[in-house]
């Protein structure tokens, strides 16, 4: 028996339960409509708790999942009385067991499960680093084949807390290619027979997996937070938080006001910030990311550099920002580094660069009066605990099976 249907957000066309990324009529997002309208927590240790709103049949049993806790030290320092930290990473003392250290693992488990339930064999994705690591880890655990295309800047992020398996096929790109080049090459590889494109933000399993950060926060706090802080590159996490909030609102037990999305990009690469500042649905490359490749190279949090984010598409980040009366921030490298040091010294766990950008945006929001001292604030620390993980695990680098010169190389050359 099915648990959900897919619905096109533009034309309303409905599809049954399947691995589908697009509507046949238009380019809008599809959204999962679950038959369970109330969130009913399952007795699982991690993300599987939120089975009600994950697009899969079988419950996930992994210990990896989002955790939420109320900050004391950072909250005191910032003068906030209800600051909650959503932490996706490794921090066993807080029961956080995401061993690839980012919320991308929350996307990977339901996506790979949905793939399996639909009888598909191999999935193809592009990654700036963290997503690839997450999918490689789940591939190592499940044996499902993954083809991961990563730009040179992301290769050092492709490590695992276990020995890599033959099911992981890593394709690197030579220097000069960025994340968007990796997306373009992955798109071509995905057209080979037997391959399924992962789909990025179009993949409902990815979005609803990431949405569990908001669900966990609402369950922990007892209601939806007033504000949601996250650093964005594609914006998928922001879209996911919004969609999760829509479901929580319809549930009725978690409040009726949608959390205000407060999202950050890292200077100098800030296309969505730049477009949203003018309330434009379109990103205009000449205005919003002039000299994009150079900007990308200069950006501290490299995973936040997507040149083709799902911003203007129906159901994308622009719609999420409009619906939640959202705000975007542009954060400098120095601001991020300062916020990282502050967070780590007060909260006692190391965090990844994008999380530092998110923390810096919270500091800006306080300075400019964009949050009230007593409001419920959710700071999504979407990646962290890497240093903590190294204390407990040996890490293994994944070796590429091929290196591509550019996104247009003949695929035979890659020998995959
Ligand atoms: C730790 C972390 N935070 C934030 C992001 C941005 O995610 P998105 O823009 O897809 O929401 C990423 C992307 O890789 C990430 O790895």
């Amino acid at each position: 028996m099915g648990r959900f249907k897919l619905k096109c957000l533009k034309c309303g066309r409905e599809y049954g339960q399947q691995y589908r990324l697009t509507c046949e009529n238009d380019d809008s997002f599809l959204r999962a409509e679950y038959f369970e309208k109330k969130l009913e927590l399952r007795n699982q240790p991690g993300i599987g708790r939120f089975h009600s709103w994950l697009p899969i049949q079988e419950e996930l049993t992994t210990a990896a999942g989002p955790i939420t806790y109320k900050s004391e030290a950072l909250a005191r320092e910032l003068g906030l009385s209800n600051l909650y930290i959503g932490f996706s990473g490794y921090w066993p003392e807080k029961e956080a067991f995401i061993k690839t250290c980012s919320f991308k693992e929350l996307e990977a488990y339901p996506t790979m499960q949905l793939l399996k339930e639909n009888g598909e064999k191999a999935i193809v994705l592009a990654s700036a680093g963290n997503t690839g690591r997450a999918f490689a880890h789940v591939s190592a655990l499940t044996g499902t084949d993954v083809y991961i295309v990563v730009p040179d800047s992301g290769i050092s992020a492709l490590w695992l807390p276990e020995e890599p398996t033959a099911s992981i096929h890593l394709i690197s790109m030579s220097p000069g290619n960025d994340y968007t080049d990796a997306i373009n090459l992955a798109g071509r590889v995905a057209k080979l027979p037997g391959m399924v494109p992962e789909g990025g933000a179009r993949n409902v399993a990815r979005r609803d997996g990431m949405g569990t950060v908001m669900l966990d926060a609402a369950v922990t706090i007892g209601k939806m937070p007033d504000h949601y802080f996250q650093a964005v590159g594609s914006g998928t996490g922001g879209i996911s938080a919004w969609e999760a909030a829509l479901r929580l609102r319809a549930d009725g037990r978690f409040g009726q006001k949608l959390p205000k999305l407060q999202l950050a990009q890292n200077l100098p690469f800030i296309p969505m910030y730049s477009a949203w500042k003018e309330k434009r649905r379109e990103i205009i490359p000449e205005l919003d990311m002039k000299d994009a490749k150079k900007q990308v190279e200069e950006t501290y949090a490299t995973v936040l550099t997507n040149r083709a984010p799902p911003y203007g598409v129906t159901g994308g980040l622009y719609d999420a920002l409009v619906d939640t009366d959202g705000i975007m921030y542009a954060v400098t490298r120095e601001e991020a580094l300062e916020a990282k040091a502050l967070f780590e010294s007060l909260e006692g766990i190391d965090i990844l660069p994008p999380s530092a950008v998110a923390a810096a945006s919270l500091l800006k929001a306080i300075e400019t009066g964009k949050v009230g001292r007593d409001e419920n604030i959710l700071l999504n620390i979407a990646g962290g605990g890497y240093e903590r993980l190294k204390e407990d695990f040996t890490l293994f680098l994944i070796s590429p099976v091929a290196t591509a010169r550019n996104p247009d190389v003949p695929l035979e050359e890659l020998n995959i």
Side-chain angles (χ1 to χ4, degrees), residues 62-336:
T62 174
I67 63 132
T68 312
Y69 72 93
K70 192 166 186 192
S71 163
E72 287 176 13
L74 181 65
R76 200 175 313 118
E77 173 75 20
L78 302 181
L80 300 174
S81 47
N82 290 301
L83 172 62
Y84 290 85
I85 310 291
F87 184 85
S88 297
Y90 185 73
W91 194 0
E93 293 74 16
K94 287 259 192 268
E95 310 230 329
F97 296 111
I98 296 184
K99 289 192 226 143
T100 58
C101 298
S102 91
F103 71 164
K104 299 289 166 173
E105 207 172 302
L106 303 175
E107 312 173 355
Y109 284 105
T111 298
M112 297 287 260
Q113 180 63 26
L114 180 62
L115 190 82
K116 188 174 125 197
E117 290 177 2
N118 282 273
E120 308 284 1
K121 296 281 179 288
I123 192 163
V124 184
L125 61 127
S127 167
N130 294 346
T131 312
R133 190 167 68 242
F135 275 80
H137 176 58
V138 179
S139 169
L141 298 181
T142 60
T144 304
D145 280 295
V146 287
Y147 289 78
I148 306 166
V149 186
V150 178
D152 188 61
S153 63
I155 280 295
S156 59
L158 269 284
W159 49 261
L160 287 181
E162 62 266 309
E163 296 237 23
T165 50
S167 57
I168 303 165
H169 312 264
L170 176 62
I171 301 157
S172 64
M173 296 194 76
S174 35
N177 293 287
D178 68 6
Y179 177 35
T180 309
D181 295 313
I183 292 176
N184 292 337
L185 178 58
R188 293 179 57 229
V189 174
K191 293 203 178 95
L192 293 173
M195 307 271 190
V196 174
E198 182 273 332
R202 293 192 165 276
N203 170 0
V204 293
R206 172 184 265 230
R207 303 209 303 274
D208 293 353
M210 280 175 130
T212 60
V213 172
M214 176 62 79
L215 303 183
D216 195 67
V219 168
T220 306
I221 302 169
K223 64 190 204 81
M224 286 188 269
D226 300 304
H227 303 278
Y228 173 83
F229 283 83
Q230 195 208 303
V232 290
S234 72
T236 311
I239 299 165
S240 308
W242 167 55
E243 293 183 316
L246 292 173
R247 293 189 181 110
L248 289 164
R249 183 172 70 179
D251 177 309
R253 293 171 296 167
F254 299 94
Q256 289 302 305
K257 195 167 153 273
L258 295 177
K260 193 184 203 45
L261 294 188
Q262 304 221 27
L263 308 175
Q265 293 211 281
N266 193 187
L267 282 157
F269 187 77
I270 50 163
M272 293 190 280
Y273 165 83
S274 173
W276 178 246
K277 198 167 52 151
E278 295 177 2
K279 296 289 180 293
R280 250 189 289 117
R281 181 181 277 275
E282 295 76 35
I283 290 177
I284 304 172
E286 306 77 59
L287 289 178
D288 302 322
M289 46 177 173
K290 205 158 177 281
D291 258 339
K293 282 212 166 179
K294 186 160 169 288
Q295 291 177 343
V296 166
E297 273 169 25
E298 289 169 6
T299 301
Y300 158 65
T302 48
V303 298
L304 303 180
T305 56
N306 184 330
R307 286 188 277 129
Y311 173 78
V313 58
T314 303
L317 195 71
Y318 176 85
D319 287 337
L321 286 164
V322 169
D323 200 27
T324 62
D325 193 20
I327 301 177
M328 286 207 70
Y329 299 87
V331 166
T332 65
R333 172 190 295 258
E334 291 68 32
E335 287 166 339

